[in-house]
């Protein structure tokens, strides 16, 4: 459909049913305007063309903190913050991508080698996704793209994974008839992040963004992860799910993130295994004296976190399915305590003066006063905490949190029922 016709149909509320599905009633008018503005910017930059409107959501980790890279279990959910793209096919075998507020990105698809100067930059993700598609025998091609992004950066909502999933989804819908599965798109994004972007990561972020809804994921076989969607509404139990963005400094945290899978992997290799999921827990515990001597206490503690957190993720999924919300909240709190004490990812050891996450957790526990739950959100070291607060205190909670971390620091989250989504015309 021509871009102007999309805009006209949005203005006439012909896409309201789909926007309600993605964002909920409270956000309907704002999202309608957002989509129209994105189309206007696309036309200003690239001209009037046949376009597709595609979005990919951020994600929130419910449980399973740093278990995925050890082939463990995770519970996660897609959220209503997303990256929206207006995109058109081109014949020049080049990606022209204009992200709102940033310079234009150009990726020549005839050159899909790794570029060292692109490490930690979005071009590396585009090039990496295209390279992986080509390796897998999928079609790739040129496109002109305008994007607008409201996934909070540095908050653990994984804007990088949503960008990777968006890139894969653009290729999927523009060149592959939408036939590529969400799991394959997720794995393609992980490949781009690991190999081209230079950040070691598991498959959690990309899978949650690509699949959508609440999902229990088991990565025992990462090539074919077991994924179970769970129907669950936090507000039905009288609680609101949200995050507090502590505004931490994210400068060069890659070594902190990389040390977690490295240290867990060292413990696994002591037992001649690649990942901790393949290590017998009882054998691990009986070997702690030797492990301490060879790898140090932090690596041992992180392994303890893995074994216990892997079980907690399974428990969380069961409690959600059974509707046992009290047990669910208790387990979320236990997960947060383990991340703080054993995984040790609530602040960077190279910047001990910056401890926004521990401070937020301390404040949350005081405000909640034994109700609800809170934990570090996502990869950690800086960023956000996740909170389940009773609806009746949410206004007071927001006020007290933002008094410390600034106006707009608290963000309520709505779980999005789907992953990457293509807005479809009914004409």
């Amino acid at each position: 459909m021509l871009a102007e016709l999309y805009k006209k149909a949005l203005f006439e509320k012909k896409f309201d049913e789909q926007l309600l599905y993605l964002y909920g009633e409270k956000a309907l008018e704002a999202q309608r305007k957002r989509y129209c503005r994105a189309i206007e910017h696309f036309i200003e930059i690239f001209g009037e063309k046949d376009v597709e409107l595609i979005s990919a959501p951020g994600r929130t980790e419910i449980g399973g903190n740093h278990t995925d890279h050890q082939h463990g279990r995770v519970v996660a959910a897609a959220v209503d913050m997303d990256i929206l793209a207006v995109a058109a096919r081109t014949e020049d075998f080049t990606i022209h991508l204009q992200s709102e507020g940033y310079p234009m990105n150009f990726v020549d698809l005839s050159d899909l080698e790794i570029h060292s100067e692109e490490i930690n930059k979005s071009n590396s993700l585009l090039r990496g996704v295209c390279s992986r598609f080509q390796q897998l025998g999928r079609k790739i091609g040129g496109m002109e793209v305008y994007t607008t992004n409201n996934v909070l950066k540095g908050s653990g909502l994984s804007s990088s994974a949503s960008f990777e999933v968006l890139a894969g989804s653009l290729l999927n819908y523009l060149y592959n008839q939408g036939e590529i599965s969400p799991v394959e798109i997720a794995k393609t994004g992980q490949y781009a992040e690991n190999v081209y972007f230079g950040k070691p990561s598991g498959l959690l972020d990309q899978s949650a963004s690509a699949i959508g809804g609440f999902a229990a994921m088991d990565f025992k076989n990462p090539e074919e992860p077991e994924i179970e969607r769970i129907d669950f509404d936090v507000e039905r139990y009288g609680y609101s799910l949200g995050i507090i963005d502590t505004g931490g400094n994210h400068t060069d945290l890659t070594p902190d993130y990389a040390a977690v899978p490295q240290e867990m992997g060292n413990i696994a290799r002591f037992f001649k295994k690649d990942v901790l999921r393949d290590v017998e827990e009882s054998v691990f515990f009986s070997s702690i004296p030797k492990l301490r001597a060879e790898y140090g206490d932090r690596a041992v503690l992180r392994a303890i976190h893995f074994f216990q957190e892997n079980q907690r993720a399974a428990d969380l999924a069961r409690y959600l399915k059974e509707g046992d919300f009290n047990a669910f909240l208790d387990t979320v709190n236990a997960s947060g305590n383990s991340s703080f004490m054993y995984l040790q990812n609530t602040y960077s050891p190279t910047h001990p003066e910056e401890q926004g996450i521990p401070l937020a957790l301390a404040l949350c526990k005081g405000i909640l006063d034994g109700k609800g739950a809170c934990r570090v959100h996502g990869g950690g070291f800086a960023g956000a905490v996740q909170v389940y607060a009773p609806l009746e205190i949410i206004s007071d909670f927001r006020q007290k949190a933002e008094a410390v971390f600034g106006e707009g620091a608290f963000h309520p989250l709505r779980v999005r029922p789907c992953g990457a989504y293509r807005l479809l015309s009914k004409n």
Side-chain angles (χ1 to χ4, degrees):
M1 181 187 289
L2 286 170
E4 283 287 0
L5 292 179
Y6 256 120
K7 181 182 171 184
K8 182 174 183 290
L10 282 159
F11 182 77
E12 294 173 349
K13 303 183 180 181
K14 292 183 179 179
F15 289 107
D16 275 14
E17 183 178 347
Q18 294 176 67
L19 295 180
L20 278 169
Y21 175 67
L22 294 176
Y23 305 104
E25 187 172 0
K26 292 180 181 178
L28 178 59
E29 183 177 354
Q31 289 296 335
R32 194 188 299 126
K33 291 178 180 178
R34 177 182 177 230
Y35 274 63
C36 287
R37 284 195 303 270
I39 293 171
E40 290 170 356
H41 288 307
F42 177 92
I43 294 172
E44 289 172 4
I45 298 166
F46 300 114
E48 172 71 297
K49 298 186 177 180
D50 280 315
V51 297
E52 298 283 0
L53 272 64
I54 299 169
S55 87
R59 67 97 180 109
T60 183
E61 174 193 280
I62 306 301
N65 198 209
H66 280 282
T67 56
D68 57 325
H69 49 70
Q70 298 300 304
H71 298 185
R73 301 183 185 97
V74 178
V75 180
V79 298
D80 54 353
M81 296 178 182
D82 65 347
I83 305 178
L84 168 64
V86 184
R89 287 178 54 146
T90 64
E91 301 301 323
D92 63 356
F93 215 52
T94 300
I95 294 177
H96 308 256
L97 187 144
Q98 176 68 66
S99 296
E100 183 178 20
Y102 292 90
M104 179 81 76
N105 291 89
F106 300 93
V107 176
D108 178 1
L109 299 182
S110 65
D111 175 16
L112 295 180
E113 297 298 317
I114 297 171
H115 288 220
S116 59
E117 73 277 7
E118 290 181 349
I119 290 174
N120 291 319
K121 297 180 181 179
S122 56
N123 261 17
S124 67
L125 297 175
L126 291 171
R127 203 180 301 274
V129 167
C130 291
S131 174
R132 190 60 175 162
F133 262 60
Q134 194 171 73
Q135 293 171 30
L136 296 171
R138 301 297 190 178
K139 295 178 182 177
I140 63 173
M143 62 183 81
E144 293 170 335
V145 188
Y146 178 84
T147 68
T148 178
N149 181 4
N150 65 10
V151 182
L152 298 172
K153 295 186 183 299
S155 61
L157 295 172
S158 199
S159 58
S160 59
S162 56
F163 184 80
E164 295 153 19
V165 169
L166 178 72
S169 299
L170 287 168
L171 292 171
N172 188 22
Y173 290 115
L174 291 176
Y175 286 99
N176 293 275
Q177 292 76 52
E179 62 188 26
I180 301 175
S181 73
V183 172
E184 184 174 329
I185 288 175
K187 290 193 287 188
T188 298
Q190 183 199 21
Y191 172 87
E193 185 162 315
N194 292 172
V195 178
Y196 280 71
F197 190 78
K199 180 180 177 181
S201 69
L203 192 55
L204 161 63
D205 296 349
Q206 297 84 358
S207 295
S209 177
I211 293 162
F214 279 97
M217 296 177 274
D218 189 337
F219 296 109
K220 186 174 180 62
N221 178 3
E223 295 303 313
E224 297 293 336
E226 295 181 11
I227 299 170
E228 180 182 9
R229 293 172 64 97
I230 303 171
D231 181 23
F232 191 83
D233 181 2
V234 172
E235 292 195 3
R236 189 171 63 205
Y237 292 85
Y239 278 79
S240 175
L241 168 63
I243 61 167
I244 300 173
D245 184 358
T246 68
N249 185 353
H250 290 262
T251 303
D252 196 23
L253 290 175
T254 296
D256 294 311
Y257 293 121
V260 177
Q262 179 181 355
E263 290 178 10
M264 289 185 180
N266 286 341
I267 299 293
R269 284 185 287 276
F270 176 88
F271 299 101
K272 296 182 169 43
K273 304 293 184 181
D274 292 327
V275 292
L276 285 175
R277 183 65 180 271
D278 295 332
V279 175
E280 183 68 38
E281 185 175 351
S282 61
V283 175
F284 159 77
F285 274 99
S286 67
S287 304
I288 284 179
K290 294 179 181 178
L291 295 169
R292 289 186 69 198
E294 188 156 351
Y295 302 112
D297 290 341
R298 190 175 70 172
V300 173
L301 287 166
R302 285 175 164 172
I304 290 173
H305 167 82
F306 168 80
F307 288 115
Q308 296 179 353
E309 185 75 352
N310 193 47
Q311 181 57 51
R312 274 190 292 267
D315 293 339
L316 285 167
R318 185 175 77 255
Y319 296 143
L320 287 174
K321 288 186 287 186
E322 294 173 352
D324 190 344
F325 196 61
N326 288 331
F328 170 83
L329 292 176
D330 288 343
T331 307
V332 169
N333 279 321
S335 172
N337 292 338
S338 180
S339 291
F340 201 133
M341 293 187 295
Y342 305 151
L343 185 59
Q344 300 179 34
N345 68 331
T346 58
Y347 66 93
S348 171
T350 59
H351 298 285
E353 72 282 2
E354 298 180 12
Q355 298 196 29
I357 289 175
L359 177 59
L361 291 171
L363 293 171
C364 286
K365 289 182 182 296
I367 300 169
L368 292 172
D369 192 25
K371 300 178 181 178
C374 59
R375 64 192 287 271
V376 62
H377 186 245
F381 298 107
V385 302
Q386 183 186 73
V387 183
Y388 298 83
L391 290 171
E392 65 266 21
I393 71 164
I394 201 66
S395 178
D396 181 58
F397 185 94
R398 179 196 294 269
Q399 182 180 3
K400 290 178 178 177
E402 294 187 351
V404 176
F405 295 104
E407 185 177 355
F410 177 73
H411 300 272
L413 298 176
R414 177 181 180 270
V415 174
R416 170 163 152 161
C418 65
Y421 188 88
R422 174 192 184 196
L423 207 67
L424 293 173
S425 169
K426 294 184 178 180
N427 294 341

